[in-house]
Amino acid sequence: LGKREPQIYGTLTLEEIKKYTQQMLLDCPHDLVWFESNSEEEIVELLHAAERDSILGIVMNPGAFSHTSLAIYDALRSVSCIVVETHLSNVYERGGIRSKLLTAKACEIIMSGLGKDAYHMACRAILCKKG
């Protein structure tokens, strides 16, 4: 992130987006736990662990897995907390396979096209839903 297709994803690295998100959520009473993986298996395991740990919510950007992963979709269906699927780019504007979000069908909220604001807005959405 930050180097690949900056015209679509922007120029910020994931580390910079994390810092920005945490600054935007200084008033949030909950801890944020960040996890990044290119492994479908690791993502599925984390989702199962989230259910066991009774967390408040999940903000997830499954990237290309969002279009193809039945395993992540099934794991998301087993989670009882609020799940927000986020995408930095507007996936619907991109068309084709990128506009078909399999994993989003297992999520309560979908955010697409918000760029660097996607993550903190998704956290705010979880807090609003939880009241």
Side-chain angles (χ1 to χ4, degrees):
L1 194 59
K3 295 179 183 175
R4 183 175 63 90
E5 299 182 277
Q7 71 281 9
I8 295 173
Y9 302 111
T11 57
L12 295 179
T13 65
L14 183 59
E15 200 56 42
E16 291 169 318
I17 290 175
K18 284 181 189 180
K19 286 179 186 174
Y20 173 76
T21 300
Q22 289 171 290
Q23 287 175 336
M24 296 300 289
L25 294 168
L26 287 176
D27 62 329
C28 178
H30 302 281
D31 292 330
L32 299 180
V33 176
W34 293 84
F35 173 81
E36 179 185 14
S37 179
N38 291 320
S39 166
E40 186 177 38
E41 178 183 359
E42 288 178 3
I43 295 167
V44 167
E45 290 301 320
L46 184 73
L47 290 169
H48 290 304
E51 183 62 18
R52 287 189 302 270
D53 295 342
S54 301
I55 64 165
L56 182 65
I58 296 171
V59 176
M60 179 178 193
N61 183 338
F65 287 130
S66 62
H67 316 295
T68 61
S69 179
L70 282 171
I72 293 174
Y73 168 82
D74 286 343
L76 286 167
R77 301 254 319 150
S78 73
V79 174
S80 60
C81 67
I82 296 172
V83 180
V84 182
E85 181 165 322
T86 63
H87 295 276
L88 299 175
S89 68
N90 180 344
V91 294
Y92 303 105
E93 180 181 67
R94 296 176 69 191
I97 188 87
R98 299 250 182 225
S99 64
K100 294 174 175 55
L101 302 176
L102 172 64
T103 53
K105 293 177 182 178
C107 298
E108 191 168 337
I109 301 169
I110 304 154
M111 295 190 170
S112 177
L114 293 172
K116 70 177 182 176
D117 291 308
Y119 297 100
H120 83 83
M121 296 298 288
C123 290
R124 296 260 183 230
I126 290 170
L127 292 171
C128 286
K129 290 287 271 186
K130 284 295 184 177

Coordinates of all heavy atoms in Angstrom, one line a residue, residues 1-76:
L1 N 0.9 -1.2 0.0 CA 0.0 0.0 0.0 C 0.9 1.2 0.0 O 1.9 1.3 0.7 CB -0.9 0.0 1.2 CG -2.1 0.9 1.2 CD1 -3.0 0.7 0.1 CD2 -2.9 0.8 2.5
G2 N 0.5 2.2 -0.8 CA 1.3 3.4 -0.9 C 2.2 3.4 -2.2 O 2.6 4.5 -2.7
K3 N 2.5 2.2 -2.7 CA 3.3 2.1 -3.9 C 2.5 1.5 -5.1 O 2.6 2.0 -6.2 CB 4.5 1.3 -3.7 CG 5.5 1.9 -2.7 CD 6.7 1.0 -2.4 CE 7.6 1.6 -1.4 NZ 8.6 0.7 -1.0
R4 N 1.7 0.5 -4.8 CA 0.9 -0.1 -5.9 C -0.3 0.7 -6.3 O -1.1 1.0 -5.4 CB 0.5 -1.5 -5.4 CG -0.2 -2.3 -6.5 CD -0.5 -3.7 -6.0 NE -1.4 -3.8 -4.9 CZ -2.8 -3.9 -5.0 NH1 -3.3 -3.9 -6.2 NH2 -3.5 -3.9 -3.9
E5 N -0.4 1.0 -7.5 CA -1.5 1.7 -8.1 C -2.0 2.9 -7.2 O -3.1 3.0 -6.7 CB -2.7 0.8 -8.3 CG -2.4 -0.3 -9.3 CD -3.6 -1.2 -9.6 OE1 -3.8 -2.1 -8.7 OE2 -4.3 -1.0 -10.6
P6 N -1.1 3.9 -7.0 CA -1.4 5.0 -6.1 C -2.6 5.8 -6.7 O -3.3 6.5 -5.9 CB -0.2 5.9 -6.1 CG 0.6 5.5 -7.3 CD 0.2 4.0 -7.6
Q7 N -2.9 5.8 -7.9 CA -4.0 6.5 -8.5 C -5.3 5.9 -8.0 O -6.4 6.6 -8.0 CB -4.0 6.6 -10.0 CG -4.2 5.3 -10.7 CD -3.0 4.3 -10.8 OE1 -2.0 4.5 -10.1 NE2 -3.2 3.2 -11.6
I8 N -5.3 4.7 -7.6 CA -6.5 4.0 -7.1 C -6.5 4.0 -5.5 O -7.5 4.3 -4.9 CB -6.6 2.5 -7.6 CG1 -6.8 2.6 -9.1 CG2 -7.7 1.7 -6.9 CD1 -6.7 1.2 -9.8
Y9 N -5.4 3.6 -4.9 CA -5.3 3.4 -3.5 C -4.7 4.5 -2.7 O -4.7 4.5 -1.5 CB -4.5 2.1 -3.2 CG -5.1 0.9 -3.8 CD1 -4.5 0.2 -4.9 CD2 -6.4 0.4 -3.4 CE1 -5.1 -0.9 -5.5 CE2 -7.0 -0.7 -4.0 CZ -6.3 -1.3 -5.1 OH -6.9 -2.4 -5.7
G10 N -4.2 5.5 -3.4 CA -3.5 6.6 -2.7 C -2.0 6.4 -2.5 O -1.5 5.3 -2.8
T11 N -1.4 7.3 -1.8 CA 0.1 7.2 -1.6 C 0.5 6.9 -0.2 O 1.6 6.7 0.1 CB 0.8 8.5 -2.1 OG1 0.2 9.6 -1.3 CG2 0.6 8.8 -3.5
L12 N -0.5 6.8 0.7 CA -0.2 6.5 2.1 C 0.1 5.0 2.3 O -0.6 4.2 1.7 CB -1.4 6.9 3.0 CG -1.7 8.4 3.1 CD1 -2.9 8.6 4.0 CD2 -0.5 9.2 3.6
T13 N 1.1 4.7 3.1 CA 1.3 3.3 3.4 C 0.3 2.9 4.5 O -0.4 3.7 5.1 CB 2.7 3.2 4.0 OG1 2.8 3.9 5.3 CG2 3.8 3.7 3.1
L14 N 0.2 1.6 4.7 CA -0.7 1.1 5.8 C -0.3 1.7 7.1 O -1.1 2.0 7.9 CB -0.7 -0.4 5.8 CG -1.6 -1.0 6.8 CD1 -3.1 -0.6 6.6 CD2 -1.5 -2.5 6.8
E15 N 1.0 1.8 7.4 CA 1.5 2.4 8.7 C 1.0 3.8 8.8 O 0.5 4.2 9.9 CB 3.0 2.3 8.7 CG 3.5 2.4 10.1 CD 3.0 1.4 11.1 OE1 2.8 0.2 10.7 OE2 2.6 1.7 12.2
E16 N 1.0 4.6 7.8 CA 0.5 6.0 7.8 C -1.0 6.0 8.0 O -1.5 6.9 8.7 CB 0.9 6.7 6.5 CG 2.4 7.0 6.4 CD 2.8 7.5 5.1 OE1 2.3 7.0 4.0 OE2 3.7 8.4 5.0
I17 N -1.7 5.1 7.4 CA -3.2 5.0 7.6 C -3.5 4.6 9.0 O -4.4 5.1 9.6 CB -3.8 4.1 6.5 CG1 -3.7 4.7 5.1 CG2 -5.3 3.7 6.9 CD1 -4.2 3.8 4.0
K18 N -2.7 3.7 9.6 CA -2.9 3.3 11.0 C -2.8 4.5 11.9 O -3.6 4.8 12.8 CB -1.9 2.2 11.4 CG -2.2 0.9 10.9 CD -1.1 0.0 11.4 CE -1.1 -1.4 10.8 NZ -0.1 -2.3 11.4
K19 N -1.7 5.3 11.7 CA -1.5 6.4 12.5 C -2.6 7.5 12.4 O -3.1 8.0 13.4 CB -0.1 7.1 12.2 CG 1.1 6.3 12.7 CD 2.4 7.0 12.3 CE 3.5 6.1 12.7 NZ 4.8 6.7 12.2
Y20 N -3.0 7.7 11.2 CA -4.1 8.6 10.9 C -5.4 8.2 11.6 O -6.1 8.9 12.2 CB -4.3 8.8 9.4 CG -5.5 9.6 9.0 CD1 -5.5 11.0 9.1 CD2 -6.7 9.0 8.5 CE1 -6.6 11.7 8.7 CE2 -7.8 9.7 8.2 CZ -7.7 11.1 8.2 OH -8.8 11.8 7.9
T21 N -5.7 6.9 11.4 CA -6.9 6.3 12.0 C -6.9 6.5 13.5 O -7.9 6.9 14.1 CB -7.0 4.8 11.6 OG1 -7.1 4.8 10.2 CG2 -8.3 4.2 12.2
Q22 N -5.8 6.2 14.1 CA -5.7 6.2 15.6 C -5.8 7.7 16.1 O -6.4 8.0 17.1 CB -4.4 5.6 16.1 CG -4.5 4.1 15.9 CD -3.2 3.3 16.2 OE1 -2.3 3.4 15.4 NE2 -3.2 2.6 17.3
Q23 N -5.2 8.6 15.3 CA -5.4 10.0 15.6 C -6.9 10.5 15.6 O -7.3 11.2 16.4 CB -4.6 10.9 14.7 CG -3.1 10.8 15.0 CD -2.3 11.6 14.0 OE1 -2.7 11.9 12.9 NE2 -1.1 12.0 14.4
M24 N -7.6 10.0 14.6 CA -9.0 10.3 14.4 C -9.9 9.7 15.5 O -11.0 10.1 15.7 CB -9.4 9.9 13.0 CG -8.7 10.6 11.8 SD -9.0 12.4 11.9 CE -10.7 12.6 11.4
L25 N -9.3 8.7 16.1 CA -10.1 8.0 17.1 C -9.6 8.1 18.6 O -9.8 7.3 19.4 CB -10.2 6.5 16.8 CG -10.9 6.1 15.5 CD1 -10.7 4.7 15.1 CD2 -12.4 6.4 15.6
L26 N -8.9 9.2 18.8 CA -8.4 9.5 20.2 C -9.5 9.4 21.2 O -9.2 9.1 22.4 CB -7.6 10.8 20.2 CG -6.3 10.8 19.5 CD1 -5.7 12.2 19.5 CD2 -5.3 9.8 20.1
D27 N -10.7 9.8 20.9 CA -11.8 9.8 21.9 C -12.5 8.4 22.0 O -13.4 8.2 22.8 CB -12.8 10.8 21.5 CG -13.5 10.5 20.1 OD1 -12.8 9.9 19.2 OD2 -14.6 10.9 19.9
C28 N -12.0 7.4 21.3 CA -12.6 6.1 21.3 C -12.2 5.4 22.6 O -11.0 5.2 22.8 CB -12.2 5.3 20.1 SG -12.8 3.6 20.1
P29 N -13.1 4.8 23.3 CA -12.8 4.2 24.6 C -12.3 2.7 24.4 O -12.0 2.1 25.4 CB -14.1 4.2 25.4 CG -15.1 4.1 24.3 CD -14.6 4.9 23.1
H30 N -12.2 2.3 23.2 CA -11.8 0.9 22.9 C -10.5 0.8 22.3 O -10.0 1.7 21.6 CB -12.9 0.2 22.0 CG -14.2 0.2 22.6 ND1 -14.7 -0.6 23.6 CD2 -15.3 1.0 22.3 CE1 -15.9 -0.3 23.9 NE2 -16.3 0.7 23.1
D31 N -9.8 -0.3 22.5 CA -8.5 -0.5 21.9 C -8.7 -1.0 20.5 O -9.6 -1.8 20.2 CB -7.7 -1.6 22.6 CG -7.3 -1.1 24.0 OD1 -7.1 0.1 24.2 OD2 -7.2 -2.0 24.9
L32 N -7.8 -0.6 19.6 CA -7.8 -1.1 18.2 C -6.7 -2.1 18.1 O -5.5 -1.9 18.6 CB -7.5 0.0 17.2 CG -8.5 1.2 17.2 CD1 -8.0 2.2 16.1 CD2 -9.9 0.7 16.8
V33 N -7.0 -3.2 17.5 CA -6.0 -4.3 17.2 C -5.9 -4.4 15.7 O -6.8 -4.6 15.0 CB -6.4 -5.6 17.8 CG1 -5.4 -6.7 17.5 CG2 -6.5 -5.5 19.3
W34 N -4.7 -4.2 15.2 CA -4.4 -4.3 13.7 C -3.8 -5.6 13.4 O -3.0 -6.2 14.1 CB -3.5 -3.2 13.3 CG -4.0 -1.8 13.5 CD1 -4.0 -1.1 14.6 CD2 -4.7 -1.0 12.5 NE1 -4.7 0.2 14.4 CE2 -5.1 0.2 13.1 CE3 -5.0 -1.2 11.1 CZ2 -5.7 1.2 12.4 CZ3 -5.6 -0.2 10.5 CH2 -6.0 1.0 11.1
F35 N -4.3 -6.1 12.2 CA -3.8 -7.4 11.7 C -3.8 -7.3 10.2 O -4.7 -6.8 9.6 CB -4.7 -8.5 12.2 CG -4.4 -9.9 11.6 CD1 -3.4 -10.7 12.1 CD2 -5.1 -10.3 10.5 CE1 -3.2 -11.9 11.5 CE2 -4.9 -11.5 9.9 CZ -3.9 -12.4 10.4
E36 N -2.7 -7.8 9.6 CA -2.5 -7.8 8.2 C -2.0 -9.1 7.8 O -1.0 -9.6 8.4 CB -1.6 -6.6 7.7 CG -1.4 -6.6 6.2 CD -0.4 -5.6 5.8 OE1 0.3 -5.0 6.7 OE2 -0.4 -5.3 4.6
S37 N -2.6 -9.7 6.7 CA -2.0 -11.0 6.2 C -2.5 -11.2 4.8 O -3.6 -10.8 4.4 CB -2.6 -12.1 7.1 OG -2.1 -13.4 6.5
N38 N -1.6 -11.8 4.0 CA -2.0 -12.3 2.7 C -2.4 -13.7 2.7 O -2.6 -14.3 1.6 CB -0.8 -12.1 1.7 CG -0.5 -10.6 1.5 OD1 -1.4 -9.8 1.3 ND2 0.8 -10.3 1.5
S39 N -2.5 -14.3 3.9 CA -2.9 -15.7 4.0 C -4.3 -15.9 4.4 O -4.8 -15.4 5.4 CB -2.0 -16.4 5.1 OG -2.6 -17.6 5.5
E40 N -5.1 -16.5 3.5 CA -6.5 -16.7 3.7 C -6.7 -17.5 5.0 O -7.6 -17.2 5.8 CB -7.1 -17.5 2.5 CG -8.5 -17.7 2.5 CD -9.0 -18.4 1.3 OE1 -8.3 -19.3 0.8 OE2 -10.1 -18.0 0.8
E41 N -5.8 -18.5 5.3 CA -5.9 -19.3 6.5 C -5.8 -18.5 7.7 O -6.5 -18.6 8.7 CB -4.9 -20.4 6.5 CG -4.9 -21.3 7.7 CD -3.8 -22.3 7.7 OE1 -3.0 -22.4 6.7 OE2 -3.7 -23.1 8.7
E42 N -4.8 -17.6 7.8 CA -4.6 -16.7 8.9 C -5.8 -15.8 9.2 O -6.1 -15.6 10.3 CB -3.3 -15.9 8.7 CG -2.0 -16.7 8.9 CD -0.8 -15.8 8.6 OE1 -0.9 -14.6 8.4 OE2 0.3 -16.4 8.6
I43 N -6.4 -15.3 8.1 CA -7.5 -14.4 8.2 C -8.7 -15.2 8.8 O -9.4 -14.7 9.8 CB -7.9 -13.8 6.9 CG1 -6.8 -12.8 6.4 CG2 -9.2 -13.1 7.0 CD1 -6.9 -12.4 5.0
V44 N -8.9 -16.4 8.3 CA -10.0 -17.2 8.8 C -9.8 -17.5 10.3 O -10.7 -17.4 11.2 CB -10.2 -18.5 8.0 CG1 -11.1 -19.6 8.7 CG2 -10.7 -18.2 6.6
E45 N -8.6 -17.9 10.7 CA -8.3 -18.2 12.1 C -8.5 -17.0 13.0 O -9.0 -17.1 14.1 CB -6.8 -18.7 12.2 CG -6.6 -20.1 11.7 CD -7.5 -21.1 12.3 OE1 -7.7 -21.1 13.6 OE2 -8.0 -22.0 11.6
L46 N -8.1 -15.8 12.5 CA -8.3 -14.6 13.3 C -9.8 -14.3 13.5 O -10.3 -13.9 14.6 CB -7.7 -13.4 12.6 CG -7.8 -12.1 13.5 CD1 -6.8 -12.2 14.7 CD2 -7.5 -10.9 12.6
L47 N -10.6 -14.5 12.5 CA -12.1 -14.4 12.6 C -12.7 -15.3 13.6 O -13.5 -14.9 14.4 CB -12.7 -14.5 11.2 CG -12.5 -13.4 10.2 CD1 -12.9 -13.8 8.8 CD2 -13.1 -12.1 10.7
H48 N -12.2 -16.5 13.6 CA -12.7 -17.5 14.6 C -12.3 -17.1 16.0 O -13.0 -17.2 17.0 CB -12.2 -18.9 14.3 CG -12.9 -19.5 13.1 ND1 -14.2 -19.6 12.9 CD2 -12.3 -20.0 11.9 CE1 -14.5 -20.2 11.8 NE2 -13.4 -20.4 11.1
A49 N -11.0 -16.6 16.1 CA -10.6 -16.1 17.4 C -11.4 -14.9 17.9 O -11.6 -14.8 19.1 CB -9.1 -15.8 17.4
A50 N -11.7 -14.0 17.0 CA -12.5 -12.9 17.3 C -13.9 -13.3 18.0 O -14.3 -12.6 18.9 CB -12.8 -12.0 16.1
E51 N -14.5 -14.3 17.4 CA -15.7 -14.8 18.0 C -15.5 -15.3 19.4 O -16.3 -15.0 20.3 CB -16.3 -15.9 17.1 CG -17.6 -16.4 17.5 CD -18.7 -15.3 17.5 OE1 -18.6 -14.3 16.9 OE2 -19.8 -15.5 18.2
R52 N -14.5 -16.0 19.6 CA -14.2 -16.5 21.0 C -13.9 -15.4 22.0 O -14.2 -15.5 23.1 CB -13.0 -17.5 20.9 CG -13.3 -18.8 20.3 CD -12.1 -19.8 20.5 NE -10.8 -19.3 19.9 CZ -10.4 -19.5 18.7 NH1 -11.1 -20.2 17.8 NH2 -9.2 -19.0 18.3
D53 N -13.2 -14.3 21.5 CA -12.8 -13.3 22.4 C -13.9 -12.2 22.6 O -13.7 -11.2 23.3 CB -11.6 -12.6 21.8 CG -10.4 -13.5 21.8 OD1 -10.4 -14.5 22.5 OD2 -9.4 -13.2 21.0
S54 N -15.1 -12.4 22.0 CA -16.2 -11.5 22.2 C -15.8 -10.0 21.9 O -16.1 -9.2 22.8 CB -16.8 -11.6 23.6 OG -17.2 -13.0 23.8
I55 N -15.3 -9.7 20.8 CA -14.9 -8.4 20.5 C -16.1 -7.5 20.0 O -17.1 -8.1 19.6 CB -13.7 -8.3 19.5 CG1 -14.2 -8.9 18.1 CG2 -12.5 -9.0 19.9 CD1 -13.3 -8.5 17.0
L56 N -15.9 -6.2 20.1 CA -17.0 -5.3 19.8 C -17.3 -5.3 18.3 O -18.5 -5.3 17.9 CB -16.6 -3.9 20.2 CG -17.6 -2.8 20.0 CD1 -18.8 -3.0 20.9 CD2 -17.0 -1.4 20.3
G57 N -16.3 -5.3 17.5 CA -16.5 -5.3 16.0 C -15.2 -5.5 15.2 O -14.1 -5.5 15.8
I58 N -15.4 -5.7 13.9 CA -14.3 -6.0 13.0 C -14.4 -5.0 11.9 O -15.5 -4.9 11.3 CB -14.3 -7.4 12.5 CG1 -14.2 -8.4 13.7 CG2 -13.3 -7.7 11.4 CD1 -14.4 -9.9 13.3
V59 N -13.3 -4.4 11.6 CA -13.2 -3.6 10.3 C -12.2 -4.4 9.5 O -11.1 -4.7 9.9 CB -12.6 -2.2 10.6 CG1 -12.4 -1.4 9.3 CG2 -13.5 -1.4 11.6
M60 N -12.7 -4.8 8.3 CA -11.9 -5.7 7.5 C -11.9 -5.2 6.0 O -12.9 -4.8 5.4 CB -12.6 -7.0 7.5 CG -11.9 -8.1 6.7 SD -12.8 -9.6 6.8 CE -11.6 -10.7 6.1
N61 N -10.6 -5.2 5.5 CA -10.4 -4.9 4.1 C -9.9 -6.2 3.5 O -8.7 -6.5 3.6 CB -9.5 -3.8 3.8 CG -9.3 -3.5 2.4 OD1 -9.6 -4.3 1.5 ND2 -8.9 -2.2 2.0
P62 N -10.7 -7.1 3.0 CA -10.2 -8.4 2.5 C -9.5 -8.3 1.2 O -9.0 -9.3 0.7 CB -11.5 -9.2 2.4 CG -12.6 -8.3 2.3 CD -12.2 -7.0 2.9
G63 N -9.4 -7.1 0.6 CA -8.7 -7.0 -0.7 C -9.3 -7.9 -1.7 O -10.5 -8.1 -1.9
A64 N -8.4 -8.5 -2.5 CA -8.9 -9.4 -3.6 C -9.6 -10.6 -3.1 O -10.5 -11.2 -3.8 CB -7.7 -9.9 -4.4
F65 N -9.4 -11.0 -1.8 CA -10.2 -12.1 -1.2 C -11.7 -11.8 -1.2 O -12.5 -12.7 -1.2 CB -9.7 -12.4 0.2 CG -8.4 -13.1 0.3 CD1 -7.4 -12.6 1.2 CD2 -8.1 -14.3 -0.4 CE1 -6.2 -13.3 1.3 CE2 -6.9 -14.9 -0.3 CZ -6.0 -14.4 0.6
S66 N -12.0 -10.5 -1.2 CA -13.5 -10.2 -1.1 C -14.2 -10.7 -2.4 O -15.4 -10.8 -2.3 CB -13.6 -8.6 -1.0 OG -13.1 -8.0 -2.1
H67 N -13.5 -10.9 -3.4 CA -14.2 -11.3 -4.7 C -14.2 -12.8 -4.8 O -15.0 -13.4 -5.6 CB -13.5 -10.8 -5.9 CG -13.1 -9.3 -5.7 ND1 -14.0 -8.3 -5.6 CD2 -11.9 -8.7 -5.6 CE1 -13.4 -7.2 -5.5 NE2 -12.1 -7.4 -5.5
T68 N -13.4 -13.6 -4.0 CA -13.3 -15.0 -4.3 C -13.3 -15.9 -3.1 O -13.4 -17.1 -3.4 CB -11.9 -15.2 -5.0 OG1 -10.9 -14.8 -4.1 CG2 -11.8 -14.4 -6.3
S69 N -13.2 -15.5 -1.9 CA -13.0 -16.4 -0.8 C -14.2 -16.9 -0.1 O -14.8 -16.2 0.7 CB -12.1 -15.7 0.2 OG -11.9 -16.6 1.3
L70 N -14.6 -18.1 -0.4 CA -15.7 -18.7 0.3 C -15.3 -19.0 1.8 O -16.1 -19.0 2.7 CB -16.1 -20.1 -0.3 CG -17.0 -19.9 -1.6 CD1 -17.1 -21.2 -2.3 CD2 -18.3 -19.3 -1.2
A71 N -14.0 -19.3 2.0 CA -13.5 -19.6 3.4 C -13.7 -18.4 4.3 O -14.2 -18.5 5.4 CB -12.1 -20.0 3.3
I72 N -13.3 -17.2 3.8 CA -13.5 -16.0 4.6 C -15.0 -15.7 4.7 O -15.4 -15.3 5.8 CB -12.7 -14.8 4.0 CG1 -11.2 -15.1 4.1 CG2 -13.0 -13.5 4.7 CD1 -10.3 -14.1 3.4
Y73 N -15.7 -15.8 3.7 CA -17.2 -15.6 3.7 C -17.8 -16.5 4.8 O -18.6 -16.0 5.7 CB -17.8 -15.9 2.4 CG -19.3 -16.0 2.4 CD1 -20.1 -14.8 2.3 CD2 -20.0 -17.2 2.5 CE1 -21.5 -14.9 2.4 CE2 -21.3 -17.3 2.5 CZ -22.1 -16.1 2.5 OH -23.5 -16.2 2.5
D74 N -17.5 -17.8 4.8 CA -18.0 -18.7 5.8 C -17.6 -18.3 7.3 O -18.4 -18.3 8.2 CB -17.6 -20.1 5.6 CG -18.3 -20.7 4.4 OD1 -19.4 -20.2 4.0 OD2 -17.9 -21.7 3.9
A75 N -16.3 -17.9 7.4 CA -15.8 -17.5 8.7 C -16.6 -16.2 9.2 O -16.9 -16.1 10.4 CB -14.3 -17.2 8.7
L76 N -16.8 -15.3 8.3 CA -17.5 -14.1 8.6 C -19.0 -14.4 9.1 O -19.5 -13.7 10.0 CB -17.6 -13.1 7.4 CG -16.3 -12.3 7.2 CD1 -16.3 -11.7 5.8 CD2 -16.0 -11.3 8.3

